[in-house]
Amino acid sequence: LFHNKRLILTPFFATLFIFASTKAYLYSSAPTKEKDCNFIYPKNVDQTKPTTITINPPQHLLEFKQTGGAVNDASCLNRTAVYGVVKVSSVEDVKNAILFANENGLKVTSAGQHHSMGGQSFIQNGLVLDMKNLKEMKLDKENKVLNVQSGAIWADVQQFLDGEGLAVKAMQSINIFTVGGTLSVNAHGIAHNPGQIASTVKSFRIMLSNGEIKTASPSENPELFKSAIGGYGLFGVILDANIEVVDNELYDWKTKYMDYKDFPSYYLEHVEGNENVGLFYARISVSPTSYLTEIATHEFLKTKNEGVTEPIIPDEHTALQRLVINFSKTGSIGRWTRWVLEKQVVPSASTCISRNQAMSQKEVCLISRNQKMYNSMEYLKNKLKDTDILQEYFIPREKMPDFIDGLRNKVKENGANLLNVTIRIVHKDTLTALPYAKEDMFAFVLYFNQKLNEKESKILQKTTADLIDLATGLNGTYYLPYQLYYSKEQLHKAYPEIDSFFDTKRKYDPTVLFENK
């Protein structure tokens, strides 16, 4: 009898092993081709119809990367037919493209990496300017000011500064974005001081719809400065910017765990105003054992070590990270596994400057500012038939526990697949026309996963609307560069400045040349 059972179980375990191995390979493998993004939500057949505009052939020196066809963004849900995509390599290319669009009644959008997720990089039948080849940099090392063209990606900026012993002062937590895109959404990251990038911008040059170039700063053309930063490309094409940079400091990475209700007071007592803290962010557990109740804070404390000489090292664990994040999409066991690994392995598996010290002392990792901020998150690219969706909400600090309680309820109620929650710091914004931080706030960056189907799209649409209501009910706001699931009423409640913003736009762009979805 035992022998017969063994005969039966052997094929079972062999099948199980093959299944597990296949899944592990799928979850850990990098994609070999572009993701199939033919699914659209909400359904809009018109937006994918081939462009049928008949216009004069280009009389200007324009290099088209693409004529006709369609483009999409990182959401994989916004496939849209366009007139064409122009490769921009010089300021003259921008001027010629604007002239061509004006002559032929085309709308214009500037595009970087297409990581805004609501069609902010394009419009149906529009002319898309691919800015990524406009990427020159010049450094004023004495004054710590970098002049950088808007198509440069932050990874290249970091490599450039690293050789000079300098680092970026503010950027997103991922370095794949363009500088122009960052300015256009007034982005922020793990540098809690200064928070948003607007305060680090000394000035920028922008080309308007008539081809005129203006310099904008807090003192020169201040209205244009205020409107174009966080202006989603609606005022013109940002050509280059002068941004503040800082020393590439060395930090001691400390991680602490606490109940979510203790976080606001901990931040005020230990981080706020503490000049010894160079970088700071936190993550909330999505493990079923501590779901949205346990917080891990990551503090990067300045050390007395000077003269960081170690160059930036690319991430060494991409396949493992991809396996873990994709496994966490499958349910409770996957999310529990990921949280346990983050607690036990990070930061010991991170790229530390002093590997010996990191291995000899528990939870000690010396890491440079550049190394910590050098994150491409390559592991998020995969072969799966799904998409990962970002959302972000800005909440007054004292209302943080209320938001988390509401978030927990809404996600469970709607059945949304929430993979990650990061907490960052943003400060009261008086520099931009559409401030998402009306006061000092905590920013909640939510990372959802969904299959490319209508059922899961509807779940995320409802969850988004519910969370916007939750945020605004707590005197908070939501971030605009994501899916267009909000109503006009929700938009006006979060951004009462929106009508004035568009009035100003028409002043600088009277023909509404610059437009997106």
Side-chain angles (χ1 to χ4, degrees), residues 225-399:
F225 179 88
K226 189 170 186 175
S227 300
I229 296 184
Y232 299 91
L234 294 174
F235 287 78
V237 181
I238 295 175
L239 302 173
D240 55 55
N242 291 311
I243 60 174
E244 297 176 12
V245 296
V246 295
D247 292 331
N248 183 25
E249 301 168 322
L250 194 60
Y251 300 133
D252 183 358
W253 184 355
K254 299 288 187 182
T255 304
K256 297 183 177 67
Y257 293 88
M258 64 190 66
D259 185 90
Y260 73 108
K261 292 180 180 178
D262 296 330
F263 179 82
S265 59
Y266 179 86
Y267 174 80
L268 288 173
E269 293 173 15
H270 298 276
V271 181
E272 176 84 343
N274 185 351
E275 294 184 0
N276 194 42
V277 181
L279 301 170
F280 178 85
Y281 67 96
R283 285 205 176 97
I284 312 179
S285 168
V286 292
S287 166
T289 57
S290 54
Y291 189 70
L292 298 185
T293 59
E294 184 179 25
I295 286 183
T297 65
H298 296 272
E299 298 174 45
F300 298 81
L301 306 176
K302 298 177 185 179
T303 71
K304 294 180 180 179
N305 301 65
E306 296 181 358
V308 181
T309 57
E310 295 288 337
I312 295 172
I313 302 172
D315 201 325
E316 302 167 330
H317 310 288
T318 301
L320 176 60
Q321 290 172 319
R322 185 179 292 114
L323 172 63
V324 171
I325 191 71
N326 287 332
F327 182 43
S328 74
K329 298 175 182 179
T330 63
S332 298
I333 295 176
R335 284 191 280 273
W336 173 82
T337 301
R338 180 163 152 247
W339 186 246
V340 169
L341 288 174
E342 285 188 8
K343 292 183 76 170
Q344 300 299 324
V345 179
V346 178
S348 60
S350 299
T351 307
C352 301
I353 293 292
S354 177
R355 179 65 64 181
N356 288 336
Q357 183 176 1
M359 294 176 67
S360 65
Q361 298 184 39
K362 186 178 180 181
E363 295 186 3
V364 172
C365 175
L366 294 182
I367 189 167
S368 72
R369 183 182 183 92
N370 276 336
Q371 185 66 62
K372 181 56 193 173
M373 295 177 74
Y374 193 83
N375 190 352
S376 68
M377 292 197 179
E378 188 70 20
Y379 62 86
L380 297 180
K381 298 178 181 178
N382 58 60
K383 294 182 176 181
L384 304 180
K385 295 179 180 179
D386 63 7
T387 184
D388 299 325
I389 301 296
L390 282 171
Q391 296 179 16
E392 193 161 349
Y393 302 91
F394 306 95
I395 306 299
R397 292 175 181 175
E398 71 277 6
K399 300 292 182 63

Side-chain angles (χ1 to χ4, degrees), residues 3 28 39 46 64 177 198 243 418 442 474:
H3 179 70
S28 62
F39 178 76
D46 287 342
F64 278 84
F177 307 118
I243 60 174
L418 179 61
F442 292 135
L474 297 171

